[in-house]
Amino acid sequence: MRFWPLFLVSAAAVGMETALTRYFAVANWSDYGYWVISIVMVGFALSGVVLALGQGRLQRHAAGLFATLPALLCLSAALGYAGVIVNPFNPLALQNPDTYAPQLGLIALYYVALLPFFFLTGLYVSLCFATNATRVGAVYAADLLGAGLGSVLVLGLMYLVSPFALIPYLLPLLALAALGAGRLRKRAGAAALVALLAGEALLGLGPQAAISQYKPIYPPLHTPGAKVLATVHSPRGEYMLLDDFTERVNTDISNNSGMMGYPSPPRSYGLYRDGIRIASLPMPGVGAQTGYALGALDALPYTLRPHPDTLLIGASGGMRIAETRALGAGPLTALEPDPVLYQALREGLDGSPPVPSAPDLRIFNDNPRAVVTPGAGYDVIDISADFLDEAPANVYAVSAQAFAADLAALSYNGVLSVPVSIQDFPAYALRMMATMREALILRGVADPGAHLILYRSAWNARLLASPAPFTAADIAAAAKWCNDRSFDISYYQGFDAVAARSNLYNDLPAVSFTDGTMDTQGDDDSLADEAPGVLAGQVTPSSSAFDLRPVTDDRPAFYAILRLSQLKLLLARLQILPQAEIGALVNLAVLAQAVIIAALVLLVPLAAPRRARQGHEVLRPAVYFSVLALGFLFLELFAIERASLVLDDRAMGFSLVLGAMLVFSGLGSFVSGRIANATAAMRLAWVAVALWGVAMLWLSGTAALAAGGLPLVLRVGLIVLCLAPVSFAMGLPFPLGLRQLRGEFFLPWAWGLNGAFSVVATPFANLLLRTIGLHAVLGGAVLLYTIAALSFPALEGQIAWTPFLKRSAAAD
């Protein structure tokens, strides 16, 4: 209870970090949320450096600082958020070599706006360590438990208010911390109240956050007569249902639809999440207008397998259900994991009617990996075109293991239909083929090429796969169907790409990513040219330029085909890179900055007077606290990815893992203060982490899939139960290490190292996941904790330096 003010400050700080991350996801793009993590940890690192180099001056004035900081935190939080709101950063200009320079200055302004708050927060936390050096376990416990509360609090608020309105709810926590200022409580409370009122007034009356004009929702939202019919607040995202004359059913239609008597897609409502369109919802009376579906790119499977028993993965707000019924689907099972879209299917959503019930229609909101079972006997499994981009966790539905499970759930000659956009890079279709090839191999298929058909329009492609080889009759029917609708076949076994050029409807020339030149011989189909090589596992022009390795459960990022080793080339082609690929470059930029900062923090002892170091060994603490920060974040990222697979929801997975790990780590830190033998306790913590890591390496994938079909409450409980023991163990090493240090220099320096290397950990772990796989992240965490155990500061029995407040009182 002594440290409840620290508890509140930590809760507000993590809440602000989460709220700012959500701000960037809605106002700009989620990838730029990495800056927030960087700014937070840079602030913490700088606070440790300042305190370490201050040689005890700040510690001697700790009572006054504890009374002043809550008011300063309130003001800096409000001013920082206002500064973020008015920043005119343009993400599109950042990708243009001719206009990116001013954007770098605007990014720097984000740091200027937010760094003061997180520096002051770090100063508050490090002062708590400095003035309670004999109780570092309790201090760290209050810090972690408060952070856990902050993550849970913001998660709950996301159900109630807009992401733009989260931060005003956090300022009172900072103001309340002033009541813990001891004999200065009244003065501190009055200052904090004034700061709170000023901050709330600024956020309420000052500049207001809005969706960037560069987000897809902005143009339709600002057309005449546009109306927002519904807004749904959720940790998954901010949903908006838009009624606008430009909104139509989003499907790829044949150029020959009019000649064949098919109508155009009807008007619809547009459902947007975080400003990005994810589905078309039917307008009243429009659900029956489905004649256009006969001319859609995704209709071919229903011609090859008439009246099929169908599994539809992603219902697109109900439009795909109506379309597949119009195409003659027999018994239909539809999966819609997104809770808002599922509600729209079942109950309607503010004007959009629900899907009419039918005896042969079943609708579930389950994870596809939990519903698809071997031997189900579906004739068609159809993945909707917008499903992959509907939610981040849906990427697990297009891994090689997921496709293998889908194939096992088909009848012998059933068809799995998988969409892929080729609008940005046709290479995405080749990566999908490589992934499906791997899935067929996992199913024991010796000749994957005989089981595949690839066809396309100018913008999208569909890959059809079957447990049985496609017959000559199947291929002939597919060729006629495509020819009638001006679609092009790009692959089937025996396909003659050269001969097909004489009757090509949609030109798709090969464009060199290396030099930007177009290699054309008249009408071209670059997919047809490279598909045989991809299926044979050979090097092709695209595989040389892009990473076309199969998507797997261990390496689940589908939009990750850029070769980061070619950084100079990527920067030269920055203007044409898809938005989904930008996150990797942001990670690289943050990592480069983080490495420089971490190196500077490591070198701080060189700037400190020899007397401040008190003869203390520097190398072991430097290694110890650096690898601890890396290891904790590595293991956290691994747990978030696995929880996202279990919950089929990355936002919930992130919040649950973060909250559970912080709470149980806090309990471990609290217990650390009662442990006499710190070295033995550190070794036990390392053993616990190592054993847990080995178990997760072998079991986590299988366990995650097995748990996917359980009720949500049980899945949440299992995740918490799995994280509790390892998180408890991970809460021990940091306070145990701090107990081994002496002097007013080393304790804040260790805190600074923890912050600096936490900045390094997040982008580094994300890049490892992208390029090598999740097993590398988990293995790296175990290796880092092993290094920590070997470098544990060997000063057992020596108590850290005397708290300055007590020393000053004794002197008086």
Side-chain angles (χ1 to χ4, degrees), residues 14-38 40 81 114 118 154 158 163 166-167 274 654:
V14 169
M16 179 125 173
E17 178 183 357
T18 307
L20 287 168
T21 302
R22 286 295 301 131
Y23 168 86
F24 278 102
V26 178
N28 288 291
W29 303 97
S30 59
D31 297 323
Y32 299 111
Y34 290 118
W35 290 336
V36 177
I37 300 171
S38 170
V40 172
Y81 187 43
L114 296 174
F118 292 108
V154 171
M158 286 181 193
L166 291 171
I167 289 177
D274 290 348
F654 173 83

Side-chain angles (χ1 to χ4, degrees), residues 102-421:
Q103 302 308 311
L104 297 179
L106 294 176
I107 293 173
L109 288 180
Y110 281 129
Y111 281 75
V112 171
L114 296 174
L115 195 58
F117 171 77
F118 292 108
F119 170 78
L120 293 173
T121 301
L123 187 61
Y124 191 101
V125 177
S126 55
L127 273 173
C128 287
F129 280 116
T131 55
N132 296 278
T134 58
R135 298 192 63 192
V136 291
V139 174
Y140 195 47
D143 178 37
L144 293 177
L145 290 170
L149 170 70
S151 66
V152 173
L153 174 62
V154 171
L155 177 66
L157 285 173
M158 286 181 193
Y159 287 104
L160 303 175
V161 300
S162 162
F164 295 153
L166 291 171
I167 289 177
Y169 288 90
L170 301 173
L171 298 187
L173 298 178
L174 297 169
L176 284 172
L179 300 180
R183 57 187 175 83
L184 301 176
R185 181 186 301 111
K186 290 184 179 180
R187 186 185 305 172
L193 179 60
V194 172
L196 173 63
L197 294 175
E200 297 288 8
L202 174 62
L203 296 182
L205 304 176
Q208 298 299 300
I211 296 175
S212 167
Q213 61 182 309
Y214 312 108
K215 293 298 275 286
I217 194 176
Y218 189 88
L221 185 61
H222 291 82
T223 56
K227 293 182 293 185
V228 177
L229 300 179
T231 300
V232 180
H233 306 303
S234 167
R236 276 179 171 259
E238 184 80 350
Y239 294 82
M240 298 174 67
L241 184 64
L242 188 61
D243 181 10
D244 178 84
F245 74 89
T246 66
E247 302 287 347
R248 290 191 173 271
V249 174
N250 189 19
T251 191
D252 199 342
I253 297 295
S254 163
N255 295 330
N256 294 348
S257 288
M259 296 173 55
M260 301 180 74
Y262 303 147
S264 298
R267 277 194 59 199
S268 71
Y269 298 133
L271 185 65
Y272 292 77
R273 190 191 69 247
D274 290 348
I276 300 174
R277 198 175 196 268
I278 61 170
S280 303
L281 268 61
M283 303 178 74
V286 170
Q289 301 176 25
T290 53
Y292 66 91
L294 296 170
L297 184 70
D298 44 21
L300 176 56
Y302 303 91
T303 297
L304 298 180
R305 303 292 181 261
H307 309 293
D309 184 348
T310 304
L311 173 64
L312 180 63
I313 299 178
S316 303
M319 297 306 302
R320 284 293 293 142
I321 292 177
E323 290 167 6
T324 53
R325 302 305 290 269
L327 294 170
L332 177 60
T333 301
L335 304 180
E336 187 49 78
D338 187 286
V340 174
L341 285 171
Y342 181 73
Q343 177 191 346
L345 298 179
R346 285 298 195 184
E347 304 171 12
L349 185 63
D350 286 82
S352 178
V355 173
S357 60
D360 59 349
L361 172 63
R362 300 182 300 164
I363 303 176
F364 300 101
N365 67 331
D366 292 316
N367 182 340
R369 301 292 292 272
V371 173
V372 176
T373 55
Y378 294 110
D379 299 310
V380 169
I381 296 180
D382 186 353
I383 301 178
S384 295
D386 50 19
F387 183 74
L388 176 59
D389 298 324
E390 184 182 288
N394 288 355
V395 71
Y396 285 104
V398 296
S399 68
Q401 290 81 2
F403 288 156
D406 293 337
L407 292 166
L410 288 168
S411 59
Y412 175 68
N413 63 345
V415 174
L416 169 60
S417 178
V418 180
V420 58
S421 172

Side-chain angles (χ1 to χ4, degrees), residues 433-459:
M433 289 192 78
T435 303
M436 190 64 75
R437 172 182 180 268
E438 181 69 16
L440 288 163
I441 292 173
L442 290 174
R443 293 293 304 154
V445 173
D447 184 12
H451 298 250
L452 298 176
I453 294 176
L454 178 67
Y455 68 105
R456 65 175 183 84
S457 68
W459 310 110

Side-chain angles (χ1 to χ4, degrees), residues 729-753:
M730 292 165 67
L732 297 172
F734 188 76
L736 290 175
L738 291 180
R739 275 174 46 182
Q740 308 302 94
L741 300 181
R742 302 173 297 174
E744 61 264 16
F745 171 79
F746 281 95
L747 200 66
W749 180 55
W751 169 252
L753 283 175

